[in-house]
Amino acid sequence: MLFPQGPGATGEAQAATSFSTFSDGDGMIGKAAFNPGLHYFHSTGKPGPGPNFFQIYDRCDDGLTPGVEWLITEGAEAGTSYRKELDGDCKTSVLLPIPFRISALETHFGGKEMPSMTWHFYLKAQDGSYAHRSDSISDQMGSYANVWDREFYTESSVYREPYGRVGSTITVTVVPTDEAYSGGPVAADDDMNEMWDEIQEETPVPSDLSGDQVESLKKQLWCHLAFAVEGWTGGPTWDLEAERPNISWEEVKGLGDLKDHRCNWGSDEGSYYRPPTDGSDPADLAPVVDAGPDVTTDEGGEVTLRGTAADDRGTPTSTWAYTRGDDVDEGAACTFTDAGSPRTGFTCTDDGTYTVKLTGDDGAHHPVSDSATVTVRNVAPTLTLESPDDWDVHRVENEVAIAASFTDPGSNDTHTCTVTWDDGSTSRFPATSGRCEATHVYEHAGMDTVSVQVTDDDAGEDSGERMIVVYDPRAGLVSGSGTLADGAGYSVTAKYLTTGSTVPAGTVALAVPTEDGKKALLSTALDWLVITPEGKVAVKGRSATHGFVGYLEKDAFRGVVWPLSQGATPPSNPLYDSTPGASWDLDEARPQPLRTGLTVIDTGWIPGLPALPGGGLLGLGGTLPALLDGLPTLGGDVAVPDGSSS
């Protein structure tokens, strides 16, 4: 990928001594990395923007401006603070739709000292406030000298940097001149001392280095002067590292040894493995292997391992292997797309930390290996709730079945299903073959929101829910009429006639305000009636052209009306709703207080008692069957003139 780059922009420095990163749910927002001294030139072989610079990654189009503050904490400038930031928020465009820019913030520090410092990375909002600011980060500047009049080098720097995988080291980096490559072994003794003295004059090494460390640095310098053939043991910089052991002069100068260590002996990475004296051709060097950077991926997802393996006699045989970390569940397994290729895909069945090792073997030396870490993130399962459907109708004491399937890219995960039935009971059980299935019997009528959740063993979860209707034909009746503050009116009488009834008998009349004036609806059929033990009621039915749901309490009512052309159940934006946005679930329907009227709800009238007691509800008297038989047959809807009552 190409990135828009600001002044002095560079490729990413390798193994920066310190860094800070900000991220959000969409990934990295910004990153700052500090490169001491000529560390960047050393690591990449490419000149950077100068010594001691901060490399900045900035996500574009987020309204945030990145910057760095640093404070010198020792030396001649101790207590001096600095701040630099990039120029505003970067913007993408149709011609350059790149989401990041990579830029450099130079410190312009150059001197004989290696002062300690602390720094903060920040992102500023458009109003100038800190949207993000890192904690204090400690590091150390490197020394630097630009000396174009020197015979053997034009720049030198001393700085502290990571060394292998065991700690840090003092590194001396010099940029040699053409003259430095021309002396050869004969002149190296005199040239080394002269060059070393000049380096120490401009950029001295710390005084606390041991005698062996200084001796090793000088031997490395001698080696580069003596055998520097560009592209073999030389290059754009010569880098002398204090942690390399102080080997004997015989090993430094020996031609066979030189072809093995290339002036960089004692590496703990395996890149400079010294072969045993087994009679093999000393000119045949051991392979150089790099497993590539540490990477992160999702379980079940393939990530690319960017390893390399090289040998002076051609391409060595490459082999990948992996080991599971302590945080990986038993049974997890990984596969390589091509375990014999340095660049390969890698996929794991469970989350955790894995170590991948690339081994190169040229057939003449001990195999050489390098490792990288793969961090595999958990991915939550994805649930599909298959049944029941929303608004499914069930009779009390009949089984209600739920069925859901799910997928999970982490095939080594185990899963638990949890069903919340909305009547105070919960079912929890292990999933079977990627499914959650259960049944439940409701003892009371209601409108119940059933929730099904699947959770993997790493706490990843997904869920779905459906609202079902549970009716009880043994319940009593609802009868009443009234009006609301918005002018809507209702009249309702409904009852299941027998214990075997599947639909209620009765009638509902509604008059509701709409944009086109008040509309009167007369029911032609009732679909179901719910009367809960708490005295809450819901009744659903239809007229010739519209569907309706009425929610009733003794002193409150909610009416919902929609054209049947929009379906059998209410749409998200019905023609009329006296409590817009409230849940369809009866427990959360929020009916509105009555302006006038009364509703009587009998939760316990039992079929088989033919006469209504005490003259009947609302003074209607007689038997309920007689009452219902006497209701007129109702037909089409009626438009009510504005200003009329319902």
Side-chain angles (χ1 to χ4, degrees):
M1 176 179 287
L2 298 175
F3 294 90
Q5 302 191 7
T10 65
E12 182 177 7
Q14 302 174 10
T17 53
S18 57
F19 65 91
S20 176
T21 303
F22 298 126
S23 301
D24 62 11
D26 296 323
M28 186 176 70
I29 304 172
K31 176 181 178 181
F34 179 63
N35 292 265
L38 288 177
H39 166 264
Y40 180 84
F41 202 171
H42 169 193
S43 298
T44 66
K46 300 176 183 178
N52 299 303
F53 75 92
F54 293 94
Q55 188 162 349
I56 308 296
Y57 292 71
D58 178 31
R59 187 173 71 183
C60 297
D61 300 319
D62 58 8
L64 301 176
T65 299
V68 176
E69 304 163 332
W70 68 95
L71 171 68
I72 306 299
T73 57
E74 68 175 16
E77 291 193 56
T80 306
S81 61
Y82 301 86
R83 174 187 293 176
K84 279 194 173 185
E85 59 187 43
L86 298 184
D87 183 17
D89 180 29
C90 57
K91 301 293 183 183
T92 58
S93 66
V94 175
L95 296 178
L96 196 63
I98 308 300
F100 281 89
R101 62 174 166 177
I102 305 176
S103 304
L105 292 179
E106 301 178 51
T107 67
H108 298 292
F109 175 84
K112 294 184 177 182
E113 293 184 312
M114 294 173 54
S116 297
M117 60 100 168
T118 59
W119 63 280
H120 300 268
F121 177 43
Y122 64 81
L123 296 174
K124 275 189 176 179
Q126 292 179 344
D127 63 3
S129 63
Y130 288 113
H132 301 275
R133 188 173 186 267
S134 71
D135 294 334
S136 179
I137 303 167
S138 298
D139 212 312
Q140 188 174 20
M141 295 278 190
S143 63
Y144 175 72
N146 187 327
V147 285
W148 294 98
D149 58 340
R150 298 294 188 186
E151 180 180 4
F152 300 113
Y153 70 99
T154 58
E155 297 173 79
S156 67
S157 177
V158 179
Y159 51 93
R160 190 176 300 277
E161 67 166 350
Y163 179 74
R165 302 190 181 204
V166 298
S168 64
T169 188
I170 291 295
T171 295
V172 180
T173 290
V174 294
V175 180
T177 62
D178 291 340
E179 184 68 23
Y181 287 98
S182 62
V186 175
D189 290 325
D190 292 335
D191 292 347
M192 181 268 291
N193 288 318
E194 179 182 348
M195 188 172 179
W196 179 258
D197 290 342
E198 290 176 347
I199 293 171
Q200 296 313 293
E201 180 182 345
E202 303 293 341
T203 52
V205 298
S207 59
D208 59 355
L209 289 186
S210 69
D212 274 344
Q213 289 176 312
V214 172
E215 190 71 17
S216 176
L217 292 172
K218 295 173 73 172
K219 287 177 178 177
Q220 293 170 58
L221 179 60
W222 183 94
C223 185
H224 282 294
L225 282 164
F227 299 107
V229 178
E230 190 166 5
W232 181 42
T233 60
T237 66
W238 294 350
D239 306 296
L240 324 174
E241 293 156 320
E243 292 306 309
R244 298 198 183 279
N246 183 21
I247 63 176
S248 69
W249 277 108
E250 287 75 11
E251 291 177 289
V252 173
K253 297 180 178 181
L255 183 59
D257 295 297
L258 171 66
K259 289 182 178 180
D260 178 40
H261 61 60
R262 301 192 183 195
C263 300
N264 291 290
W265 51 80
S267 169
D268 69 329
E269 295 295 307
S271 299
Y272 304 102
Y273 172 77
R274 293 175 57 78
T277 55
D278 57 1
S280 59
D281 185 353
D284 182 8
L285 305 179
V288 176
V289 175
D290 184 354
D294 297 340
V295 292
T296 300
T297 187
D298 294 331
E299 61 182 4
E302 183 177 283
V303 67
T304 299
L305 303 179
R306 294 175 172 82
T308 57
D311 187 67
D312 59 338
R313 296 294 182 90
T315 303
T317 300
S318 300
T319 306
W320 282 102
Y322 74 91
T323 55
R324 298 193 299 254
D326 293 338
D327 59 342
V328 178
D329 292 339
E330 192 67 30
C334 303
T335 57
F336 296 96
T337 303
D338 184 356
S341 172
R343 190 183 183 97
T344 182
F346 185 65
T347 306
C348 296
T349 63
D350 210 345
D351 62 295
T353 305
Y354 299 80
T355 299
V356 291
K357 183 171 73 172
L358 177 62
T359 301
D361 188 354
D362 66 356
H365 300 81
H366 188 282
V368 176
S369 299
D370 186 46
S371 298
T373 299
V374 179
T375 302
V376 180
R377 298 171 297 213
N378 182 59
V379 178
T382 300
L383 180 81
T384 301
L385 184 51
E386 300 168 349
S387 65
D389 291 331
D390 268 330
W391 299 89
D392 273 2
V393 181
H394 301 268
R395 188 187 189 281
V396 292
E397 299 181 353
N398 286 351
E399 282 191 343
V400 177
I402 65 97
S405 61
F406 62 87
T407 59
D408 192 332
S411 58
N412 191 55
D413 285 350
T414 58
H415 300 84
T416 300
C417 303
T418 303
V419 184
T420 303
W421 298 101
D422 199 21
D423 64 350
S425 59
T426 300
S427 301
R428 184 174 288 107
F429 50 91
T432 304
S433 301
R435 297 189 64 78
C436 297
E437 296 180 345
T439 60
H440 183 66
V441 173
Y442 288 91
E443 297 181 357
H444 301 289
M447 297 174 72
D448 299 288
T449 301
V450 182
S451 174
V452 183
Q453 177 178 289
V454 60
T455 306
D456 66 22
D457 55 344
D458 300 298
E461 63 182 46
D462 193 20
S463 61
E465 64 179 30
R466 298 283 191 272
M467 188 200 69
I468 63 170
V469 177
V470 180
Y471 72 93
D472 188 346
R474 300 167 300 183
L477 62 81
V478 59
S479 183
S481 62
T483 63
L484 300 179
D486 66 358
Y490 74 95
S491 176
V492 58
T493 300
K495 175 73 179 77
Y496 286 97
L497 293 181
T498 71
T499 58
S501 296
T502 57
V503 293
T507 186
V508 174
L510 295 171
V512 298
T514 70
E515 292 181 355
D516 299 324
K518 188 172 288 187
K519 180 177 288 294
L521 310 175
L522 305 174
S523 64
T524 58
L526 301 183
D527 298 331
W528 47 259
L529 170 67
V530 169
I531 302 178
T532 72
E534 298 79 23
K536 296 181 178 182
V537 174
V539 58
K540 179 178 179 292
R542 56 192 181 275
S543 69
T545 58
H546 288 75
F548 64 84
V549 179
Y551 298 88
L552 301 99
E553 297 178 14
K554 64 183 179 63
D555 55 2
F557 176 76
R558 177 188 179 188
V560 182
V561 176
W562 69 95
L564 287 173
S565 60
Q566 293 183 329
T569 58
S572 57
N573 293 300
L575 175 67
Y576 171 77
D577 186 351
S578 56
T579 313
S583 171
W584 304 132
D585 191 323
L586 177 56
D587 292 332
E588 302 173 8
R590 305 203 319 264
Q592 300 299 304
L594 295 181
R595 184 180 66 180
T596 63
L598 175 67
T599 300
V600 177
I601 300 168
D602 180 4
T603 64
W605 186 84
I606 302 174
L609 299 179
L612 295 174
L617 297 173
L618 295 180
L620 295 175
T623 64
L624 181 66
L627 169 67
L628 299 177
D629 288 343
L631 293 173
T633 300
L634 303 175
D637 302 334
V638 179
V640 180
D642 290 341
S644 63
S645 61
S646 61

